[in-house]
Amino acid sequence: MTALAVILLIVGIVLLLFGIFVQAAQFLLWIGIIILVIAIIIGLMRYIRRGA
């Protein structure tokens, strides 16, 4: 579960950078944001489960 969150976080950051620097591929910005949100949700769920 941790590896999945880390991979999603890295992919999200890379897609955000491509989306910012490449105007022709602006849709990558939105995909990157979505992947980052998913990674954050997974991380929060893991933190909550570990604490409970």
Coordinates of all heavy atoms in Angstrom, one line a residue:
M1 N 0.8 -1.2 0.0 CA 0.0 0.0 0.0 C 0.9 1.3 0.0 O 0.6 2.2 -0.7 CB -0.9 0.0 1.2 CG -2.0 1.0 1.2 SD -3.3 0.5 0.1 CE -4.7 1.3 0.8
T2 N 2.0 1.2 0.8 CA 2.9 2.4 0.8 C 3.5 2.6 -0.5 O 3.7 3.7 -1.0 CB 3.9 2.2 1.9 OG1 3.2 1.9 3.1 CG2 4.8 3.4 2.0
A3 N 4.0 1.5 -1.2 CA 4.6 1.6 -2.4 C 3.7 2.2 -3.5 O 4.1 3.0 -4.3 CB 5.1 0.2 -2.9
L4 N 2.4 1.8 -3.5 CA 1.5 2.3 -4.4 C 1.3 3.8 -4.2 O 1.3 4.6 -5.2 CB 0.1 1.6 -4.2 CG -1.0 2.1 -5.1 CD1 -0.7 1.9 -6.6 CD2 -2.3 1.4 -4.8
A5 N 1.2 4.3 -3.0 CA 1.1 5.7 -2.7 C 2.3 6.5 -3.2 O 2.2 7.5 -3.8 CB 0.8 5.9 -1.2
V6 N 3.5 5.9 -3.0 CA 4.7 6.6 -3.4 C 4.8 6.6 -4.9 O 5.2 7.7 -5.5 CB 6.0 5.8 -2.8 CG1 7.3 6.4 -3.4 CG2 6.0 6.0 -1.3
I7 N 4.5 5.6 -5.6 CA 4.5 5.5 -7.0 C 3.5 6.5 -7.6 O 3.9 7.3 -8.5 CB 4.2 4.1 -7.5 CG1 5.4 3.2 -7.2 CG2 4.0 4.1 -9.0 CD1 5.1 1.7 -7.5
L8 N 2.3 6.6 -7.0 CA 1.3 7.5 -7.5 C 1.8 9.0 -7.3 O 1.6 9.8 -8.1 CB 0.0 7.3 -6.8 CG -0.8 6.1 -7.3 CD1 -2.1 5.9 -6.5 CD2 -1.2 6.2 -8.8
L9 N 2.4 9.2 -6.1 CA 2.9 10.5 -5.8 C 4.0 11.0 -6.8 O 3.9 12.1 -7.4 CB 3.5 10.6 -4.4 CG 3.9 11.9 -3.9 CD1 2.7 12.9 -3.8 CD2 4.6 11.7 -2.5
I10 N 4.9 10.1 -7.1 CA 6.0 10.4 -8.1 C 5.4 10.6 -9.5 O 5.8 11.6 -10.1 CB 7.0 9.3 -8.1 CG1 7.8 9.3 -6.7 CG2 8.0 9.5 -9.2 CD1 8.7 8.1 -6.6
V11 N 4.5 9.7 -9.9 CA 3.9 9.9 -11.2 C 3.1 11.2 -11.3 O 3.2 11.9 -12.3 CB 3.0 8.7 -11.6 CG1 2.2 8.9 -12.8 CG2 3.9 7.4 -11.8
G12 N 2.4 11.5 -10.2 CA 1.6 12.8 -10.2 C 2.5 14.0 -10.3 O 2.2 14.9 -11.1
I13 N 3.6 14.0 -9.6 CA 4.5 15.1 -9.6 C 5.1 15.3 -11.0 O 5.2 16.4 -11.6 CB 5.6 15.0 -8.6 CG1 5.0 15.2 -7.2 CG2 6.7 16.0 -8.8 CD1 5.9 14.9 -6.0
V14 N 5.5 14.2 -11.6 CA 6.1 14.2 -13.0 C 5.1 14.7 -14.0 O 5.4 15.6 -14.8 CB 6.6 12.8 -13.4 CG1 7.0 12.8 -14.9 CG2 7.8 12.4 -12.6
L15 N 3.9 14.2 -13.9 CA 2.8 14.7 -14.8 C 2.5 16.2 -14.6 O 2.2 16.9 -15.5 CB 1.6 13.9 -14.7 CG 1.7 12.4 -15.3 CD1 0.4 11.7 -15.0 CD2 2.0 12.5 -16.7
L16 N 2.6 16.6 -13.4 CA 2.3 18.1 -13.1 C 3.4 18.9 -13.7 O 3.2 19.9 -14.3 CB 2.3 18.3 -11.6 CG 1.0 18.0 -10.9 CD1 1.2 18.2 -9.4 CD2 -0.1 19.0 -11.4
L17 N 4.7 18.5 -13.6 CA 5.8 19.2 -14.2 C 5.7 19.3 -15.7 O 5.9 20.3 -16.3 CB 7.1 18.6 -13.8 CG 7.5 18.8 -12.3 CD1 8.8 18.0 -12.0 CD2 7.6 20.2 -11.9
F18 N 5.3 18.1 -16.3 CA 5.1 18.1 -17.8 C 4.0 19.0 -18.2 O 4.0 19.7 -19.2 CB 4.9 16.7 -18.3 CG 6.1 15.9 -18.5 CD1 6.3 14.7 -17.9 CD2 7.1 16.4 -19.3 CE1 7.5 14.0 -18.1 CE2 8.3 15.7 -19.5 CZ 8.5 14.5 -18.9
G19 N 2.9 19.0 -17.4 CA 1.8 19.8 -17.7 C 2.1 21.3 -17.5 O 1.5 22.1 -18.3
I20 N 2.9 21.7 -16.6 CA 3.3 23.1 -16.5 C 4.2 23.5 -17.6 O 4.1 24.6 -18.1 CB 4.0 23.3 -15.1 CG1 2.9 23.1 -14.0 CG2 4.6 24.7 -15.0 CD1 3.5 23.1 -12.6
F21 N 5.2 22.7 -17.9 CA 6.3 23.1 -18.8 C 5.9 22.9 -20.3 O 6.5 23.5 -21.2 CB 7.6 22.4 -18.6 CG 8.2 22.8 -17.2 CD1 8.5 21.9 -16.3 CD2 8.4 24.1 -17.0 CE1 9.1 22.2 -15.1 CE2 9.0 24.5 -15.7 CZ 9.3 23.6 -14.8
V22 N 4.9 22.0 -20.6 CA 4.5 21.8 -21.9 C 3.1 22.2 -22.1 O 2.1 21.5 -21.7 CB 4.7 20.3 -22.3 CG1 4.3 20.0 -23.7 CG2 6.1 19.8 -22.0
Q23 N 2.9 23.3 -22.7 CA 1.5 23.9 -22.9 C 0.7 23.0 -23.8 O -0.5 23.0 -23.7 CB 1.6 25.3 -23.5 CG 2.1 26.3 -22.5 CD 1.2 26.5 -21.3 OE1 0.0 26.3 -21.4 NE2 1.7 26.8 -20.1
A24 N 1.3 22.3 -24.8 CA 0.6 21.5 -25.7 C -0.1 20.3 -25.0 O -1.1 19.8 -25.5 CB 1.5 21.0 -26.8
A25 N 0.5 19.9 -23.9 CA 0.0 18.7 -23.2 C -0.6 19.2 -21.8 O -0.3 18.7 -20.8 CB 1.1 17.7 -22.9
Q26 N -1.5 20.2 -21.9 CA -2.1 20.7 -20.7 C -2.9 19.7 -19.9 O -3.1 19.8 -18.7 CB -2.9 22.0 -21.0 CG -3.3 22.8 -19.8 CD -3.9 24.1 -20.2 OE1 -4.1 24.3 -21.3 NE2 -4.2 24.9 -19.2
F27 N -3.5 18.8 -20.6 CA -4.3 17.8 -20.0 C -3.5 17.0 -18.9 O -4.1 16.4 -18.0 CB -5.0 16.8 -21.0 CG -4.1 15.9 -21.6 CD1 -3.9 14.6 -21.1 CD2 -3.3 16.3 -22.7 CE1 -3.0 13.7 -21.7 CE2 -2.5 15.4 -23.3 CZ -2.3 14.1 -22.9
L28 N -2.2 16.9 -19.1 CA -1.4 16.2 -18.1 C -1.4 16.8 -16.8 O -1.2 16.2 -15.8 CB 0.1 16.1 -18.6 CG 0.3 15.2 -19.8 CD1 1.8 15.3 -20.3 CD2 0.0 13.8 -19.5
L29 N -1.6 18.2 -16.8 CA -1.7 18.9 -15.5 C -2.9 18.3 -14.7 O -2.8 18.1 -13.5 CB -1.9 20.4 -15.8 CG -2.1 21.3 -14.6 CD1 -0.8 21.3 -13.8 CD2 -2.4 22.7 -15.0
W30 N -4.0 18.2 -15.4 CA -5.2 17.7 -14.7 C -5.0 16.2 -14.2 O -5.4 15.8 -13.1 CB -6.5 17.8 -15.5 CG -6.8 19.3 -15.8 CD1 -6.6 19.9 -17.0 CD2 -7.2 20.2 -14.8 NE1 -6.9 21.2 -16.8 CE2 -7.3 21.5 -15.5 CE3 -7.5 20.2 -13.5 CZ2 -7.7 22.6 -14.8 CZ3 -7.9 21.3 -12.8 CH2 -8.0 22.5 -13.5
I31 N -4.4 15.4 -15.1 CA -4.2 14.0 -14.7 C -3.2 13.9 -13.5 O -3.4 13.2 -12.6 CB -3.6 13.2 -15.9 CG1 -4.7 13.1 -17.0 CG2 -3.2 11.8 -15.5 CD1 -4.1 12.5 -18.3
G32 N -2.2 14.8 -13.5 CA -1.3 14.8 -12.4 C -2.0 15.2 -11.1 O -1.7 14.7 -10.0
I33 N -2.9 16.2 -11.2 CA -3.6 16.6 -10.0 C -4.5 15.5 -9.4 O -4.5 15.2 -8.2 CB -4.4 17.9 -10.3 CG1 -3.5 19.1 -10.5 CG2 -5.4 18.2 -9.1 CD1 -4.2 20.3 -11.0
I34 N -5.1 14.8 -10.3 CA -6.0 13.7 -9.9 C -5.2 12.6 -9.3 O -5.5 12.0 -8.2 CB -6.8 13.1 -11.2 CG1 -7.8 14.2 -11.6 CG2 -7.5 11.8 -10.8 CD1 -8.5 13.9 -12.9
I35 N -4.0 12.3 -9.9 CA -3.2 11.2 -9.3 C -2.6 11.6 -7.9 O -2.5 10.8 -7.0 CB -2.1 10.8 -10.3 CG1 -2.7 10.1 -11.5 CG2 -1.0 9.9 -9.6 CD1 -1.7 9.8 -12.6
L36 N -2.2 12.9 -7.8 CA -1.8 13.4 -6.5 C -2.9 13.3 -5.4 O -2.6 12.9 -4.3 CB -1.3 14.8 -6.6 CG 0.1 15.0 -7.2 CD1 0.4 16.5 -7.3 CD2 1.1 14.4 -6.3
V37 N -4.1 13.6 -5.8 CA -5.2 13.5 -4.8 C -5.4 12.1 -4.4 O -5.6 11.8 -3.2 CB -6.5 14.2 -5.4 CG1 -7.7 13.8 -4.6 CG2 -6.3 15.7 -5.6
I38 N -5.3 11.2 -5.4 CA -5.5 9.8 -5.1 C -4.4 9.3 -4.1 O -4.6 8.6 -3.1 CB -5.6 8.9 -6.3 CG1 -6.8 9.2 -7.1 CG2 -5.4 7.4 -6.0 CD1 -6.9 8.6 -8.5
A39 N -3.2 9.7 -4.4 CA -2.0 9.3 -3.5 C -2.2 9.9 -2.1 O -1.9 9.2 -1.1 CB -0.7 9.8 -4.1
I40 N -2.7 11.1 -2.0 CA -2.9 11.7 -0.7 C -4.0 11.0 0.1 O -3.8 10.7 1.3 CB -3.2 13.2 -0.8 CG1 -2.0 14.0 -1.3 CG2 -3.7 13.8 0.5 CD1 -2.2 15.4 -1.7
I41 N -5.1 10.6 -0.6 CA -6.1 9.9 0.0 C -5.6 8.5 0.5 O -6.0 8.1 1.6 CB -7.3 9.7 -1.0 CG1 -8.0 11.1 -1.2 CG2 -8.3 8.7 -0.4 CD1 -9.0 11.1 -2.3
I42 N -4.9 7.8 -0.3 CA -4.3 6.5 0.1 C -3.4 6.7 1.3 O -3.5 5.9 2.2 CB -3.6 5.8 -1.1 CG1 -4.5 5.4 -2.2 CG2 -2.7 4.7 -0.6 CD1 -3.9 4.9 -3.4
G43 N -2.6 7.7 1.3 CA -1.7 7.9 2.4 C -2.5 8.2 3.7 O -2.2 7.8 4.8
L44 N -3.6 9.0 3.6 CA -4.4 9.3 4.8 C -5.1 8.1 5.3 O -5.2 7.9 6.5 CB -5.4 10.4 4.4 CG -4.8 11.9 4.3 CD1 -5.9 12.8 3.8 CD2 -4.3 12.3 5.6
M45 N -5.6 7.3 4.4 CA -6.3 6.1 4.8 C -5.3 5.2 5.5 O -5.7 4.5 6.6 CB -6.9 5.3 3.6 CG -8.1 6.0 3.0 SD -8.7 5.2 1.5 CE -9.1 3.6 2.1
R46 N -4.1 5.0 5.1 CA -3.1 4.2 5.7 C -2.8 4.8 7.1 O -2.7 4.0 8.1 CB -1.9 4.2 4.8 CG -0.8 3.3 5.4 CD 0.4 3.2 4.4 NE 1.5 2.6 5.1 CZ 2.4 3.2 5.8 NH1 2.4 4.5 6.0 NH2 3.4 2.5 6.4
Y47 N -2.6 6.1 7.2 CA -2.3 6.7 8.5 C -3.5 6.5 9.5 O -3.2 6.2 10.6 CB -2.1 8.2 8.3 CG -1.8 9.0 9.5 CD1 -0.6 8.9 10.2 CD2 -2.8 9.8 10.1 CE1 -0.4 9.5 11.4 CE2 -2.6 10.5 11.2 CZ -1.4 10.3 11.9 OH -1.2 11.0 13.1
I48 N -4.7 6.7 9.0 CA -5.9 6.5 9.9 C -6.0 5.0 10.4 O -6.2 4.8 11.5 CB -7.2 6.9 9.2 CG1 -7.2 8.5 9.0 CG2 -8.4 6.5 10.0 CD1 -8.2 9.0 8.1
R49 N -5.8 4.1 9.5 CA -5.9 2.7 9.8 C -4.8 2.3 10.8 O -5.0 1.5 11.7 CB -5.8 1.8 8.6 CG -7.0 1.8 7.8 CD -6.9 0.8 6.6 NE -8.1 0.9 5.8 CZ -8.2 0.3 4.7 NH1 -7.3 -0.4 4.2 NH2 -9.3 0.4 4.0
R50 N -3.6 2.9 10.6 CA -2.5 2.5 11.5 C -2.7 3.1 12.9 O -2.4 2.5 13.9 CB -1.2 3.1 11.0 CG 0.0 2.7 11.8 CD 1.3 3.2 11.2 NE 1.1 4.4 10.4 CZ 2.1 5.3 10.1 NH1 3.3 5.1 10.5 NH2 1.9 6.4 9.4
G51 N -3.3 4.3 13.0 CA -3.6 5.0 14.3 C -4.7 4.4 15.0 O -4.8 4.4 16.2
A52 N -5.7 3.8 14.3 CA -6.9 3.3 15.0 C -6.7 1.9 15.5 O -5.8 1.2 15.2 CB -8.0 3.2 14.0

